[in-house]
Amino acid sequence: MRAIRYPRQERGQAAIEYVGMLGLLLFVAMAVVQLGLAVYAAQQAGTASRAAARAVSLGEGSAQQAGSAAMSDWLEKGATFRGGPAGDEVTVEVTVAIPSVVPGIDFGPVRKSTTMPKD
């Protein structure tokens, strides 16, 4: 069987095409990770707001303590808690910064609010 001979100008073309696509594939992968982090931060903010509102409504501590305990440690550092009792209800709003993986793409913070009746 004879070896296939390619013209000299086509040697290495596959490697160059692979390197060109590699950058695009890495960008898409990082964008998927960034989207996953945004969804996770939103879920953590909701969990923290519910825990904080529950603790304040039952008189079991501060919103900051309860909400921080319900969140992941690495997201809790940038979280802020606002609100408290107002009449027969307790409303707590939690703001969590979404970490950035892809340079130049910033989703900003995510805010979740929970209202619970006072017991």
Side-chain angles (χ1 to χ4, degrees), residues 15-89:
I16 291 173
E17 289 175 1
Y18 176 74
V19 169
M21 287 298 294
L22 188 62
L24 179 63
L25 290 174
L26 284 174
F27 180 77
V28 169
M30 297 287 278
V32 168
V33 169
Q34 179 70 53
L35 185 61
L37 279 174
V39 170
Y40 183 71
Q43 181 268 333
Q44 288 288 292
T47 300
S49 71
R50 283 189 303 277
R54 184 179 309 114
V56 173
S57 73
L58 296 175
E60 296 178 350
S62 73
Q64 179 80 32
Q65 289 173 332
S68 294
M71 293 179 66
S72 294
D73 291 338
W74 58 278
L75 280 176
E76 172 247 320
K77 292 177 178 69
T80 59
F81 297 83
R82 284 187 345 171
D88 292 342
E89 297 179 332

